[in-house]
Amino acid sequence: MGLTFAAPLALLGLLALPAIYFLLRVTPPRPREIVFPPIRLLFDLLRREETPSRTPWWLLALRLALAGLAVLAMAGPALTPAATASFSGAPLLIAIDDGWPAAPDFDARIEAARALVADAARSGATIALLPMSQAETAPTREDGGKIDERLRALAPQPFVPDRAAAAAWLGEFAAANPHGRIIWIADGLEQGGASQFAKALSSASAAGAKVETLTSDHVPRALLAPQNTAAGLEVEIIRAAAGAPASGAVSAFDQQGRALAQARFDFSGDKAKARFDLPIELRNEAALLRLDGEASAGAVALLDGRSKVRRVAVLSGVSADLAQPLLEPQFYLQKAFAPFAEVREPRPGAADPLPQLIAEQPNIVALADIGALPRDAHEALIHFVEEGGVLLRFAGARLANAGDDLTPVRLRRNGRVLGGAMSWDTPKKLAPFDPSSPFYGLAVPDEVTVTRQVLAEPEPGLPAKTWAALTDGTPLVTAERRGKGLIVLFHVSADAAWSNLPISGLFIDMLHRIAAESGEAAASRAEDGPRSDAPALAPLAILDGRGRLGAPPPTARPIGADYDGDANREHPPGFYGVADAPIAVQPLRAGDDLRAFDFSGQGLAVSALRAGAPIDLRPWLLGLVFLALLADWLILLAMSGALRRAAPIALGAFCALAVLSAAPQGARAKDAPSASAASPRDREAALTTRLAYVVSGDARVDEASKLGLEALSRALNQRTSFAPGAPVGVDPARDELAFYPMLYWPIVASAPLPAAQAIAKVDLYLKQGGTIVFDTRDALTAHEGGPPTPETQWLRDLTRNLDIPPLEMTPRDHVITKTFYLLDNFYGRTINGKTWVEALPPESKDDPARPVRATDSVSSVVITSNDLAGAWAADRNGQPLYTLTPGGARQRELAIRGGVNLVMYTLTGNYKSDQVHVHDLLERLGQ
């Protein structure tokens, strides 16, 4: 606990205590009055010099204590519940880890940082904030109020930021402020370059800066990439140290967020595994795994189309030889598909096995050396492919001598055999895979060779159908799209008779890539043409730092189909591509681990993180002053004898007060919130009407909003009878919104969407009569009829969960255009944007001369794109701070007038639409 004072100079009043002591020491108590009628007899007594009686020592001590408490209360003492010592006026730099490992207790970290900021601001220090995810820009020193707003808008990121850039700023800060103070609020993990950052801290300490490190006792836990195999769905859980719970549970959810199952786990060391024993159909519905009790992106694992278990039906034309299973083609296929698919085989003795296998709804039908097919089986197979199935065929003697239409290319009747007429001297090797092939990226082993194959007839389009080829260009694997499905042909056998490919690891990888091509995902990709021409996968749904899926931020960039990198700012974890077949970027990759950082090994002393704002002691001290005054008054009454006469009256009043105060106490406790629930800022907002803006987290946007509302408040004070207080920034998740009649909400597409609880508060605010002006600030980039801008899309995602009325572009006769000034539009830094308000009722035919219309209440939502605050913003001298488009003083004046109309409309409602104003409005309109 650190004791600070808001007005330390007031403590000089304690120097007056000796003078007060001597003054009170010679002041007698009030004389006691006694009525004595025969006072005439006293006149004849001799007069003697009398010395006043001294004040009792205990009364003197009480009065000195009263004076001392009053002086301390005026000094504004506060207790700061932080693990740091009291501040001086030296500059402060707060570096805070804001990756997903800090997410579970991020609110406590923010509150601790706010307490540090408040403590430093009391000492007059300037403060710089350095979130690790924003280290690409230099930290600037600002006052405590601005830093507090930035902290309130800070949110954890879904990746682990690299601290290298932040480490570079430490040296510059220490060089510019030799006696400055640096506080690192760390997440406790080595990931992200903690060692490099700690070395930079040590260097700053050696340069004269005072360095402190704060961290919590929370031990991060995370999920690694899950494995959904034919045996079951399994995920690995890791933790940074043994301080985390020894057991827990992982829950599986589908795409709609419905819980499917829960699996328990127990740590053995720092790793554990959770297994879901579910039917394949149910496991394939799982889209997300979440570690219960750990609200972070690292505690989430995603499952995309590549994670689904495929059902593969295997059928061979070769007679089964139970004595020699290694010679059977289906043996190689079973072993190759087993790691990632469920293999189905025909029942023994089945006369027509293929239709029976298709009836089991496989994703892939694998036929090994099957030539002519019965008519029913042929028709069933055609229907299977056209409906989205994958037909996988392997060559052999039967296929080489038969001809059907279920191959991607036309085949020659004679195969190619080593040493034959169509042969080569040595076995051929595979050529590297073309970028247009699904096999692209797989390494081709030198030992894989081909000794025999069926040849494709040369025809136009053959290269586009070739997925794999030999070094001489001969196609080895070909494919063709049929309907919604796919036909793939290996020009070698499924056993080792024609090639050693089936006994290589490459064979398993190739089959895995083919399995990923099955279903609607493959169909959608096929429509894009060859892979080399296919577009990159755009972000679809992105995880935030707390592990919640939401709209992608504008900083997210598309990924390639073969992206296998770490999650970062440009490629945050989440789903990419199309909704039917998304590709997942995991928060952690297979093989990652969590390592606790050794602070002592770097020579850093660590203090426990304690959250909480400074405790203001003034109310307590003023209460003691009041009690001391009351005690002094009662003592004077007792010494004068008046207390004896007033005692019955005081006792009765005290009893009555106790009864009146005790009776409704229970009702107040149930029906009304506690007075302590309202912060000092909320109490101040309740006493003084003021405008507010929603903090976006972007320092430049928030600065423009603040300056714009300050300029608008000055204009309101000068031009109207409304004198608003200084505008403030609010966070819907933390602040009470009911105190502010109008909120200005600048849309920043890179900001995370508010949580569900915050959106519910916003919805309640709108329903209780509040008005929000949403400003997308995208008038110059938005195109009518074109795709929505990132800001517009962000606003759509937000309002999807808000109960707002139908909107329309502001009509000329809407009351909002005439509440104070007569306006045609609401201008900002731009003038081409539209302004939307609550739709008016149909115009009445009975009153065609009515110059103004309104709804029954104030429009709860106003949407514009003209950047109103940027046009309002001005300095104290009235000089504009931002340029306008097209520009001019007239445009800025109209923007101010529009702001005045918005505020007056919010405060006064639709009174200007009353008939009493019709005459004046018609006269001003010249009608």
Side-chain angles (χ1 to χ4, degrees):
M1 289 283 184
L3 182 63
T4 59
F5 295 92
L9 293 179
L11 295 176
L12 296 176
L14 295 176
L15 299 177
L17 287 181
I20 296 175
Y21 167 77
F22 287 108
L23 182 62
L24 293 176
R25 188 170 180 268
V26 298
T27 301
R30 182 178 179 180
R32 183 177 180 182
E33 295 182 1
I34 300 177
V35 179
F36 188 57
I39 196 170
R40 179 65 183 173
L41 298 175
L42 300 178
F43 292 159
D44 296 333
L45 297 178
L46 296 176
R47 295 184 179 182
R48 294 178 299 176
E49 183 180 353
E50 296 181 357
T51 302
S53 176
R54 296 181 183 276
T55 303
W57 67 268
W58 46 270
L59 182 58
L60 183 63
L62 175 65
R63 292 177 174 176
L64 288 176
L66 189 153
L69 290 174
V71 171
L72 289 176
M74 288 187 293
L79 282 178
T80 304
T84 59
S86 59
F87 281 85
S88 63
L92 169 66
L93 173 65
I94 298 179
I96 182 170
D97 287 338
D98 58 347
W100 66 258
D105 55 356
F106 196 74
D107 290 340
R109 296 171 181 271
I110 293 300
E111 291 304 318
R114 292 181 62 198
L116 293 170
V117 168
D119 199 358
R122 286 173 177 271
S123 303
T126 56
I127 309 153
L129 182 64
L130 180 59
M132 298 301 174
S133 64
Q134 303 175 17
E136 66 274 3
T137 57
T140 56
R141 289 162 52 180
E142 299 175 297
D143 59 70
K146 294 181 179 179
I147 296 295
D148 186 76
E149 289 183 4
R150 290 183 58 191
L151 283 171
R152 292 157 64 87
L154 204 61
Q157 300 300 312
F159 53 90
V160 179
D162 189 2
R163 301 184 182 95
W169 298 120
L170 295 183
E172 294 189 12
F173 180 84
N177 307 279
H179 302 291
R181 190 171 188 179
I182 302 175
I183 298 179
W184 178 24
I185 302 180
D187 59 21
L189 290 186
E190 167 65 33
Q191 279 79 0
S195 298
Q196 181 180 355
F197 191 79
K199 292 179 181 178
L201 282 176
S202 300
S203 301
S205 178
K210 186 176 182 181
V211 174
E212 300 172 53
T213 304
L214 304 180
T215 188
S216 69
D217 56 359
H218 176 78
V219 178
R221 298 177 296 169
L223 299 180
L224 296 184
Q227 299 293 327
N228 192 12
T229 65
L233 174 59
E234 196 172 68
V235 63
E236 186 175 6
I237 306 98
I238 58 176
R239 61 181 179 179
S247 60
V250 179
S251 298
F253 300 88
D254 63 8
Q255 290 184 345
Q256 284 72 40
R258 295 171 296 195
L260 299 177
Q262 187 181 69
R264 304 288 304 178
F265 66 87
D266 295 291
F267 276 108
S268 176
D270 291 333
K271 294 184 178 181
K273 286 189 176 182
R275 183 184 180 86
F276 295 87
D277 294 318
L278 299 172
I280 288 180
E281 292 80 5
L282 198 56
R283 278 189 278 137
N284 284 344
E285 290 294 323
L288 182 144
L289 303 181
R290 188 183 302 277
L291 180 58
D292 295 350
E294 191 82 7
S296 72
V300 173
L302 305 174
L303 296 102
D304 56 16
R306 299 172 298 181
S307 302
K308 297 184 183 299
V309 176
R310 309 297 179 183
R311 181 172 291 167
V312 180
V314 176
L315 184 64
S316 173
V318 181
S319 301
D321 189 349
L322 300 179
Q324 295 179 317
L326 294 180
L327 300 180
E328 299 180 6
Q330 61 264 36
F331 172 80
Y332 294 90
L333 294 177
Q334 290 172 4
K335 294 298 182 182
F337 278 116
F340 55 87
E342 179 192 27
V343 179
R344 296 291 182 92
E345 294 184 286
R347 298 188 184 98
D352 196 2
L354 187 56
Q356 295 180 4
L357 289 174
I358 295 177
E360 297 181 11
Q361 298 182 346
N363 304 100
I364 302 173
V365 173
L367 303 181
D369 192 19
I370 291 183
L373 290 169
R375 180 177 180 180
D376 292 344
H378 185 270
E379 292 180 354
L381 202 54
I382 291 177
H383 184 266
F384 165 77
V385 174
E386 290 180 346
E387 291 300 317
V390 173
L391 174 60
L392 178 61
R393 305 195 69 173
F394 292 87
R398 294 172 179 80
L399 181 63
N401 295 320
D404 59 44
D405 57 350
L406 291 178
T407 55
V409 295
R410 291 188 301 112
L411 303 177
R412 293 185 182 181
R413 288 300 182 93
N414 296 321
R416 184 174 183 179
V417 185
L418 178 65
M422 301 179 66
S423 64
W424 51 96
D425 296 334
T426 58
K428 292 295 183 181
K429 296 183 179 181
L430 273 68
F433 298 115
D434 190 80
S436 63
S437 169
F439 306 141
Y440 180 71
L442 298 179
V444 178
D446 291 336
E447 62 271 15
V448 175
T449 58
V450 175
T451 58
R452 182 176 180 178
Q453 68 175 121
V454 293
L455 294 176
E457 288 284 358
E459 59 182 358
L462 180 60
K465 298 180 180 180
T466 302
W467 283 7
L470 301 179
T471 52
D472 63 354
T474 305
L476 180 66
V477 180
T478 56
E480 183 185 35
R481 183 69 53 184
R482 297 280 182 89
K484 297 180 181 179
L486 182 68
I487 299 177
V488 182
L489 172 63
F490 277 74
H491 291 241
V492 294
S493 62
D495 55 17
W498 289 17
S499 171
N500 61 356
L501 175 63
I503 61 175
S504 68
L506 176 62
F507 188 61
I508 299 176
D509 294 336
M510 294 172 72
L511 294 184
H512 199 177
R513 294 284 181 94
I514 293 174
E517 291 290 317
S518 63
E520 296 180 0
S524 62
R525 284 192 291 270
E527 294 174 358
D528 296 329
R531 285 176 171 250
S532 58
D533 300 331
L537 304 177
L540 181 65
I542 298 300
L543 288 173
D544 64 9
R546 302 182 190 272
R548 300 169 300 198
L549 280 173
T555 55
R557 297 290 181 264
I559 63 171
D562 56 348
Y563 181 78
D564 193 31
D566 294 324
N568 52 47
R569 178 184 297 277
E570 293 187 349
H571 306 305
F575 291 112
Y576 293 74
V578 295
D580 293 335
I583 300 297
V585 172
Q586 301 288 353
L588 282 86
R589 303 193 322 178
D592 288 348
D593 61 352
L594 299 179
R595 301 183 304 277
F597 181 61
D598 183 12
F599 291 95
S600 60
Q602 296 291 338
L604 297 178
V606 180
S607 301
L609 182 71
R610 300 191 184 115
I615 302 174
D616 193 353
L617 298 181
R618 282 178 293 185
W620 301 97
L621 293 177
L622 291 176
L624 291 176
V625 169
F626 173 77
L627 292 177
L629 287 172
L630 180 62
D632 185 80
W633 176 67
L634 292 175
I635 290 172
L636 290 179
L637 289 179
M639 295 178 66
S640 64
L643 183 61
R644 192 176 308 166
R645 295 190 300 270
I649 300 176
L651 181 60
F654 176 78
C655 294
L657 182 62
V659 171
L660 292 176
S661 60
Q665 185 66 27
R668 286 200 301 268
K670 294 180 181 179
D671 301 335
S674 171
S676 61
S679 65
R681 173 169 150 166
D682 291 340
R683 290 194 292 269
E684 185 178 354
L687 296 175
T688 304
T689 304
R690 64 188 69 234
L691 306 179
Y693 63 93
V694 176
V695 177
S696 66
D698 188 309
R700 292 179 298 178
V701 175
D702 294 339
E703 181 72 8
S705 300
K706 181 179 180 181
L707 295 175
L709 290 184
E710 286 178 350
L712 180 60
S713 298
R714 291 194 297 269
L716 287 166
N717 191 24
Q718 295 168 0
R719 306 183 185 191
T720 72
S721 60
F722 175 43
V728 296
V730 297
D731 181 358
R734 295 187 177 96
D735 296 323
E736 177 56 56
L737 306 179
F739 303 113
Y740 309 99
M742 188 186 84
L743 293 182
Y744 176 74
W745 193 325
I747 303 302
V748 176
S750 60
L753 282 172
Q757 184 178 3
I759 293 178
K761 289 179 61 178
V762 172
D763 192 55
L764 181 62
Y765 169 78
L766 295 176
K767 291 179 179 179
Q768 290 179 344
T771 297
I772 299 181
V773 180
F774 292 104
D775 194 343
T776 57
R777 305 174 301 111
D778 59 354
L780 294 180
T781 58
H783 301 284
E784 188 172 356
T789 63
E791 291 79 11
T792 301
Q793 185 60 49
W794 193 96
L795 181 59
R796 289 180 180 178
D797 295 335
L798 172 68
T799 55
R800 187 177 293 118
N801 298 314
L802 295 178
D803 184 15
I804 60 176
L807 304 178
E808 66 175 350
M809 283 190 294
T810 308
R812 295 175 62 89
D813 58 350
H814 196 288
V815 68
I816 198 173
T817 63
K818 300 170 178 62
T819 51
F820 198 86
Y821 292 103
L822 299 180
L823 301 174
D824 295 330
N825 198 359
F826 290 88
Y827 294 156
R829 294 187 66 187
T830 55
I831 63 174
N832 59 314
K834 307 297 183 182
T835 301
W836 297 76
V837 295
E838 182 178 347
L840 292 174
E843 187 173 358
S844 175
K845 296 181 180 180
D846 299 333
D847 190 13
R850 191 178 183 93
V852 60
R853 292 188 297 147
T855 57
D856 292 336
S857 60
V858 175
S859 178
S860 59
V861 171
V862 178
I863 299 177
T864 184
S865 59
N866 279 330
D867 191 4
L868 303 184
W872 299 335
D875 58 19
R876 289 290 179 181
N877 298 322
Q879 296 301 315
L881 297 178
Y882 302 100
T883 58
L884 306 185
T885 303
R890 177 64 177 172
Q891 180 179 342
R892 194 176 302 277
E893 172 61 21
L894 289 176
I896 291 291
R897 292 184 179 185
V900 171
N901 271 28
L902 284 173
V903 176
M904 300 307 293
Y905 171 70
T906 302
L907 295 177
T908 62
N910 56 8
Y911 86 104
K912 272 293 182 72
S913 65
D914 295 340
Q915 287 290 342
V916 69
H917 301 283
V918 169
H919 177 73
D920 294 332
L921 288 174
L922 288 175
E923 183 178 350
R924 293 197 62 187
L925 290 172
Q927 299 180 7

